[in-house]
Amino acid sequence: MTEPAPLILSLEPDATSLARLEALRRAHFPPERNRIPAHLTLFHALPGAALGAITARLAAVAAATPVLPLAFTGPRSLGRGTAIAVDSAPLHRLRAGLAEAWRPWLGAQDRQGFRPHVTVQNKVTPEAALALLAALRQNLPPWEGTAQALLLWHYRGGPWEAAGRFPFTAPAPGAG
């Protein structure tokens, strides 16, 4: 019997930020490699066999979490690509709590430091990446946005397949 496909957990930004990031990705990501939409990955490989436990945890966490503020702070080099860096203390706290709960399941990539970003270009020459980095630093001002939900995906080697959406529904602190 084969092991179920791994799961990827990403963050759903507000519609305006997502449209902006997706436009950058369509413009700069090599088209033959651009098989998934713009995304901010929180975990790269959670065990598919634990789908029930993972979805239960995500439903509980999302219900207790208000919409998160995000600061899209500008471009960042990935060496052979370029990303838009994201800053958010509440996002770091949310991910740290999930990482602690899921520690036995985490592989090396998900155990290393979390540096939130949205990749808009990847697997290009270092020269092409540097050129885009310089252009974006010149022409892309930072902006504020929000995170609306957690998105869970099955990874089966091609485009990701949706496995669940968990909207943040708690009232903002001080609301009410």
Side-chain angles (χ1 to χ4, degrees):
M1 188 163 155
T2 62
E3 186 72 20
L7 300 165
I8 298 168
L9 183 64
S10 69
L11 196 67
E12 179 183 275
D14 62 274
T16 301
S17 294
L18 182 59
R20 192 176 208 179
L21 294 163
E22 186 58 28
L24 286 166
R25 189 172 171 96
R26 278 193 313 273
H28 302 292
F29 210 95
E32 68 280 3
R33 295 182 175 276
N34 195 9
R35 299 165 62 186
I36 56 176
H39 57 280
L40 191 161
T41 303
L42 300 179
F43 294 96
H44 298 84
L46 297 169
L51 178 63
I54 289 168
T55 57
R57 167 76 63 167
L58 293 176
V61 166
T65 302
V67 168
L68 301 176
L70 301 176
F72 296 89
T73 59
R76 185 178 106 196
S77 174
L78 299 176
R80 294 180 60 89
T82 305
I84 305 303
V86 178
D87 188 31
S88 171
L91 173 60
H92 278 275
R93 286 192 296 275
L94 176 106
R95 188 194 180 277
L98 291 171
E100 180 62 30
W102 295 338
R103 185 186 333 205
W105 294 338
L106 301 184
Q109 187 175 18
D110 288 329
R111 283 192 310 265
Q112 64 188 4
F114 178 55
R115 295 178 60 201
H117 65 276
V118 178
T119 302
V120 296
Q121 177 194 59
N122 205 5
K123 299 193 171 57
V124 299
T125 66
E127 297 78 19
L130 284 172
L132 179 59
L133 183 67
L136 291 179
R137 282 184 174 153
Q138 195 97 65
N139 301 309
L140 184 70
W143 77 92
E144 301 292 319
T146 59
Q148 303 294 308
L150 295 166
L151 301 173
L152 190 64
W153 307 90
H154 295 284
Y155 178 70
R156 295 188 171 101
W160 299 354
E161 297 173 30
R165 180 178 184 271
F166 305 88
F168 298 131
T169 57

